[in-house]
Amino acid sequence: MLKKSGILDIAGINSQVIFVSNNPETTTVRRLFLRGLGLDLLKLQVSKRVTTKTVPRSLRLEAAKYSNLPVEKLKQSSSQNRSSGRCIVCPRNKDKKTKCSCYKCNNFMCQNHMKLICESCLEEEKSGNDSSDTV
């Protein structure tokens, strides 16, 4: 019976044989091919870890280097994944938690301070602002 590492070696060799047969003009060293194969297999998992908030920030930044994600995207994704927070208008001693947030500034607001508007009124508001700017 083969050990697990033996199975991985065979799978790596087989993948290189298939790659070379499909790309006969390339010359690859086995060590470099297996390293690239391993990194390609890890890329999806590493990119998931970059956006996970429970992973320490230092590890997420290091993982961002390997997944070729810019650090700015890392900061944006962590701020977008917030599911609830405290209303920014209510006093802190009330400590009102809410899941509603402004679609523009992404700040949390409770139902008492949030203004709901239908799509047709929103379109009218946008067209009204455009026409008042031109006058």
Side-chain angles (χ1 to χ4, degrees):
M1 184 164 176
L2 289 174
K3 294 182 180 180
K4 290 181 184 179
S5 63
I7 293 172
L8 289 177
D9 285 337
I10 292 170
I13 293 169
N14 288 344
S15 64
Q16 185 180 13
V17 167
I18 292 170
F19 177 78
V20 169
S21 67
N22 288 335
N23 305 301
E25 67 281 349
T26 61
T27 57
T28 55
V29 180
R30 179 172 178 244
R31 178 180 54 86
L32 296 176
F33 178 80
L34 291 177
R35 180 184 169 123
L37 177 65
L39 290 174
D40 286 343
L41 290 172
L42 285 175
K43 200 171 278 189
L44 179 64
Q45 181 63 27
V46 169
S47 64
K48 286 181 184 177
R49 299 283 292 196
V50 167
T51 57
T52 304
K53 290 175 64 174
T54 57
V55 175
R57 182 174 170 81
S58 60
L59 291 177
R60 286 188 287 153
L61 290 173
E62 196 66 31
K65 292 178 188 176
Y66 289 108
S67 64
N68 296 329
L69 286 175
V71 177
E72 294 80 24
K73 186 168 183 171
L74 173 63
K75 290 178 183 175
Q76 289 173 356
S77 65
S78 64
S79 66
Q80 290 174 350
N81 289 339
R82 301 181 304 166
S83 60
S84 66
R86 192 175 62 81
C87 176
I88 64 164
V89 180
C90 290
R92 187 151 184 89
N93 61 359
K94 285 190 178 180
D95 197 33
K96 277 196 168 179
K97 299 283 197 263
T98 182
K99 292 184 178 183
C100 300
S101 62
C102 177
Y103 72 96
K104 280 188 176 179
C105 64
N106 207 20
N107 288 329
F108 289 107
M109 289 191 195
C110 66
Q111 293 292 335
N112 296 336
H113 297 109
M114 183 70 77
K115 304 270 190 275
L116 299 177
I117 187 168
C118 68
E119 289 182 17
S120 61
C121 293
L122 183 62
E123 290 300 321
E124 288 176 15
E125 180 183 320
K126 285 182 182 179
S127 64
N129 287 340
D130 292 341
S131 63
S132 64
D133 291 340
T134 57
V135 175

